[in-house]
Amino acid sequence: MRTITIKPAAITHNLNQVKALAPKSNVLAMVKANAYGHGVAAVLPALQQADGIGVATLREALEARQLGWDKTIGLIEGAFTIDEWQQAIEHDISCVIHHAPQLAWALEQIPAADSATRVVWIKYNTGMNRLGFNEQTLVPAAKSLHDAGYQLILTTHFANADDRSHPLNAMQIQRFNDMLSILRETISHDIKGSLCNSAGIVNFPEHHHDWVRPGIMLYGSAPVIDQSAHELNLQPAMEFGAQIIALQTVSAGDAIGYGSRWTAEQDTKTALVSIGYGDGYPRVVNEDAYVTVIDTNNESYRCAVIGRVAMDMIVIDVSAVPGSSALNSKVILWGDAPHVDEVAVHAGTISYELLCRLSLRPQRL
Ligand SMILES: Cc1ncc(COP(=O)(O)O)c(C=O)c1O
C-alpha cells in the first residue's frame, strides 16, 4: 500500500485563509503542474469559490475546461505559438503577454468583445528577469493592446517574496506601482493590477491589488521563511502514506541498504516501508528525516529513516514501536507530521518540488 490522499476540505480552508488575508482582491488559484502534484481533478471542486485558476501550459488550460471549469483561466506564460493563441480564443482563456511575438498575435487576431481572451495579463519585468516587457517597451505594448480593445491586467512576479527583508522586494513593488499609475493616467483608469503570489499575499498586505495569485499556500505549505504553515493556519492538503511490510532486528555493527550508509551502534529493531524514490519520496533526505508510524493500536511514533532510500523501499528505526503491533502499520511520509515543509528541509529542496515529483505509482485517494 502506497497512497496519496488529497483533502479537498483543507484546500477550501486554505483558500478561505487567502480570502481573509486579501479580502478585496480576486483570487487566481494556481493549479499548474497538476495542481502542484495534488491532481487537478481532485482540486478544482475545492476551489469553486476562487475567481479563476492559473496554469502554465495550454494543455493544462484545456484539461481544466474539459473538467468543467467555466470561470477565468489565466495562462501565465501565455501562448507559445499563434496556433495556441487561436486555441486560447476558442476556449476563452486569458493569456499573459510577455514579449513581442505574443503582442503581434494579439494584434493580428483580436477575439470577440465578449471573449475572455479579450482580457490580457501584460507582464512587466520588475526584477525577476525571466519574462516581461521592460520600462521602455511596456507602455507602447499596453497602449496598442488597449487601443485594439483589450482589457489589461498589469502583472509581475516576485523573485524573493518569501524573505520579506530582501531588498529586491521594495524595488519590484515600487516599479510595479509606478507603472500601474502611469498606465492608469495615460491609457485607462480601468487597468487592473496583479502582483502577489502566496508569499506576497502574506508579506505585503498593502500591495494586493486587484488579483492575487496564490499557489503553494492553497496546498497547505508555508510560503515564507519566517512563519510555519501551522502559524499561518494552513492545513496540509496531502497525506503521503505507505505501510510497514516487514520487521527485522539488526545487530550492532550491521549496515543497512545500498552503500551500507548506516551502521547500527546497538541491536536495533528496524522496519521495511513500502515507499521509495520510485514513488516520489526523495532519495537525498539527510539523517534528520523521519516518518510517523501509526501502529495497529492506533498509537503514533516518530521513527527515523535509516540507510539509503531505494526505489521501492526505505528502512526505519522502530525501536519505540511495540513489536506485536508494528507489522502492517501505517506510515506517514508527509502530512500533519512530518509536514512536507520539514521533509523539504531534510531533502535540501522546497515543498513545491516534492509535491510535483510524486510518481504515478502510489494510489490516489
Ligand atoms: C506567475 C506566477 N504567479 C503565481 C505563482 C504562485 O506562486 P506560489 O506557489 O509561490 O504562491 C506562480 C508560481 O510559480 C507564478 O509563476
Side-chain angles (χ1 to χ4, degrees):
M1 183 198 75
R2 27 194 22 117
T3 53
I4 295 170
T5 307
I6 302 303
K7 302 176 174 175
I11 294 173
T12 303
H13 165 89
N14 298 334
L15 175 62
N16 287 335
Q17 289 304 112
V18 171
K19 286 169 169 272
L21 289 168
K24 296 195 190 124
S25 304
N26 288 313
V27 178
L28 192 80
M30 302 306 290
V31 299
K32 63 198 172 100
N34 201 23
Y36 289 51
H38 290 67
V40 72
V43 164
L44 287 183
L47 292 174
Q48 287 308 313
Q49 297 310 312
D51 301 286
I53 55 171
V55 294
T57 69
L58 181 70
R59 197 167 152 200
E60 291 174 332
L62 298 182
E63 188 187 355
R65 279 280 178 258
Q66 261 166 16
L67 288 166
W69 184 266
D70 59 5
K71 291 198 261 185
T72 294
I73 300 182
L75 188 54
I76 64 163
E77 293 166 22
F80 299 160
T81 62
I82 190 156
D83 176 58
E84 285 201 359
W85 173 256
Q86 285 158 351
Q87 288 188 63
I89 294 176
E90 222 171 282
H91 296 277
D92 277 341
I93 292 155
S94 306
C95 293
V96 161
I97 296 195
H98 63 78
H99 68 164
Q102 293 173 334
L103 177 63
W105 305 331
L107 297 177
E108 218 173 290
Q109 306 224 3
I110 301 173
D114 62 349
S115 163
T117 316
R118 267 285 183 106
V119 177
V120 290
W121 302 63
I122 184 162
K123 184 106 171 188
Y124 182 30
N125 174 16
T126 55
M128 172 76 111
N129 291 314
R130 297 191 309 188
L131 303 177
F133 294 94
N134 62 30
E135 211 181 332
Q136 285 75 42
T137 54
L138 191 120
V139 178
K143 175 126 185 43
S144 57
L145 287 166
H146 177 262
D147 291 349
Y150 287 96
Q151 296 157 47
L152 303 185
I153 303 169
L154 180 71
T155 187
T156 195
H157 193 44
F158 282 115
N160 301 282
D162 56 331
D163 176 4
R164 192 192 319 247
S165 62
H166 194 288
L168 190 57
N169 292 321
M171 262 161 77
Q172 289 195 269
I173 291 170
Q174 179 84 47
R175 287 177 183 151
F176 182 83
N177 289 347
D178 288 352
M179 182 57 78
L180 191 55
S181 301
I182 291 171
L183 296 185
R184 284 179 174 162
E185 278 156 29
T186 62
I187 299 177
S188 165
H189 288 288
D190 292 335
I191 294 177
K192 309 273 189 257
S194 175
L195 175 58
C196 291
N197 58 348
S198 300
I201 292 166
V202 172
N203 275 342
F204 305 113
E206 61 284 17
H207 300 292
H208 285 160
H209 289 285
D210 303 285
W211 283 86
V212 290
R213 308 185 309 271
I216 197 69
M217 68 188 293
L218 294 173
Y219 306 101
S221 178
V224 294
I225 57 174
D226 56 348
Q227 281 170 286
S228 69
H230 184 69
E231 285 165 336
L232 291 166
N233 191 11
L234 300 172
Q235 298 174 0
M238 179 190 290
E239 187 181 276
F240 189 22
Q243 199 177 14
I244 291 179
I245 55 167
L247 298 170
Q248 280 221 7
T249 299
V250 296
S251 308
D254 284 349
I256 288 179
Y258 288 119
S260 303
R261 202 179 72 144
W262 185 90
T263 303
E265 282 173 11
Q266 65 225 6
D267 294 357
T268 307
K269 262 173 56 186
T270 63
L272 225 79
V273 181
S274 58
I275 207 81
Y277 62 79
D279 302 285
Y281 188 76
R283 181 172 178 275
V284 293
V285 287
N286 64 22
E287 61 281 2
D288 295 327
Y290 74 96
V291 298
T292 296
V293 170
I294 302 174
D295 76 358
T296 46
N297 295 325
N298 227 15
E299 298 287 340
S300 295
Y301 301 88
R302 178 181 166 132
C303 299
V305 177
I306 53 180
R308 202 160 252 172
V309 172
M311 187 186 289
D312 313 308
M313 57 191 123
I314 61 172
V315 179
I316 60 174
D317 181 340
V318 287
S319 302
V321 186
S324 56
S325 59
L327 192 62
N328 299 324
S329 291
K330 180 175 170 181
V331 176
I332 296 172
L333 290 318
W334 61 70
D336 287 329
H339 194 283
V340 67
D341 290 341
E342 285 177 90
V343 183
V345 170
H346 299 150
T349 184
I350 52 175
S351 61
Y352 302 67
E353 186 186 12
L354 295 183
L355 297 169
C356 288
R357 287 183 64 168
L358 291 163
S359 80
L360 294 174
R361 183 162 65 180
Q363 189 187 357
R364 296 227 165 213
L365 301 173

